[in-house]
Amino acid sequence: MIAAISLMRRLDSVDAATFRRHWLDVHGPLVCRFAGLRRYIQCHVLEQPVAADPAHAPRIDGFPLLFFDNDADRRRAHGSPEMAACDIDSRQFISAVSRVITQPVEVVPRSASAGSIGLMILYHERTDAAAIEAHLADMKSKPKLQGLTRYRVLDQGPAPNSTVPHLAMAVSLMAQAWFDSTADIQTALAVRNEAGAALFVIEEHRLV
């Protein structure tokens, strides 16, 4: 399984509510037309990141996750007329984007009772690998954790054939965690973070 994850920043002229509405109601249906798309999830950022170094956590307003069976299917979708239509629409509400091609690895299976609120975690490319593993281990130890997936980065760069400016934020690893409640998420945000990870509180919307 391949997961193409974008780091998206909205236009300064578009407020958060308008951004989310356009992404869900206008842009989302365009993405749903991609051939070979197995799952499509929009993660809307509700709170900006907590990070040891703010320079490693530029503003990100959303994370779309597109899942394909293999990279060949992903490449076909990214070179399709449907993707070209998405690029045209993206200019209406997105100011910058970076595409991260990943391989998802399930660390803790997501509970069926897990809600739509969770955390998206970004580790900077210069972060020590041992510090990343220690942070993930701390996250995994939380008693109210309802699921944890890590996304191993295979490639990262500008969105293919996109006219939207590139968001320059290099990451070495991404992860997603789910909890029982927003209170449990706030507890997780206080986890020892020597890795300097950027943690975003997100709300999931599954479209496919």
Side-chain angles (χ1 to χ4, degrees):
M1 182 69 72
I2 295 294
I5 305 175
S6 293
L7 318 180
M8 298 195 324
R9 179 185 297 166
R10 59 184 166 85
L11 288 168
D12 289 338
S13 59
V14 176
D15 62 47
T18 301
F19 169 83
R20 292 168 187 159
R21 186 165 58 249
H22 185 103
W23 188 14
L24 273 172
D25 298 338
V26 179
H27 197 78
L30 296 176
V31 177
C32 289
R33 298 173 185 169
F34 287 3
L37 184 64
R38 293 303 183 189
R39 271 187 293 156
Y40 172 39
I41 298 169
Q42 293 182 359
C43 293
H44 294 227
V45 174
L46 302 181
E47 294 182 24
Q48 287 302 313
V50 175
D53 183 353
H56 292 173
R59 195 191 82 205
I60 297 175
D61 297 287
F63 301 90
L65 283 70
L66 283 69
F67 293 84
F68 300 91
D69 285 337
N70 51 62
D71 200 51
D73 286 351
R74 191 270 306 176
R75 290 178 181 275
R76 278 192 290 271
H78 283 172
S80 68
E82 289 78 11
M83 174 60 83
C86 283
D87 179 51
I88 293 172
D89 181 66
S90 292
R91 299 196 294 265
Q92 307 304 309
F93 71 115
I94 300 171
S95 69
V97 64
S98 179
R99 184 70 44 76
V100 187
I101 308 305
T102 73
Q103 185 174 50
V105 178
E106 192 176 70
V107 179
V108 177
R110 182 176 178 177
S111 167
S113 64
S116 61
I117 307 297
L119 289 176
M120 187 66 74
I121 307 167
L122 275 58
Y123 299 98
H124 194 269
E125 66 173 352
R126 293 192 297 271
T127 304
D128 179 72
I132 292 176
E133 295 304 324
H135 184 259
L136 282 171
D138 281 353
M139 194 69 64
K140 183 180 176 182
S141 70
K142 291 299 174 185
K144 298 296 181 66
L145 182 74
Q146 292 295 297
L148 179 64
T149 295
R150 60 191 293 161
Y151 297 95
R152 184 169 67 89
V153 175
L154 305 176
D155 190 26
Q156 182 178 7
N161 305 315
S162 176
T163 56
V164 175
H166 175 53
L167 176 61
M169 181 182 178
V171 297
S172 61
L173 183 74
M174 300 179 66
Q176 190 172 8
W178 296 269
F179 294 87
D180 276 333
S181 68
T182 53
D184 295 330
I185 288 175
Q186 293 305 316
T187 300
L189 288 173
V191 161
R192 179 169 52 91
N193 189 5
E194 294 177 2
L199 294 89
F200 300 79
V201 179
I202 56 93
E203 181 178 35
E204 280 192 337
H205 299 267
R206 180 166 179 171
L207 281 75
V208 174

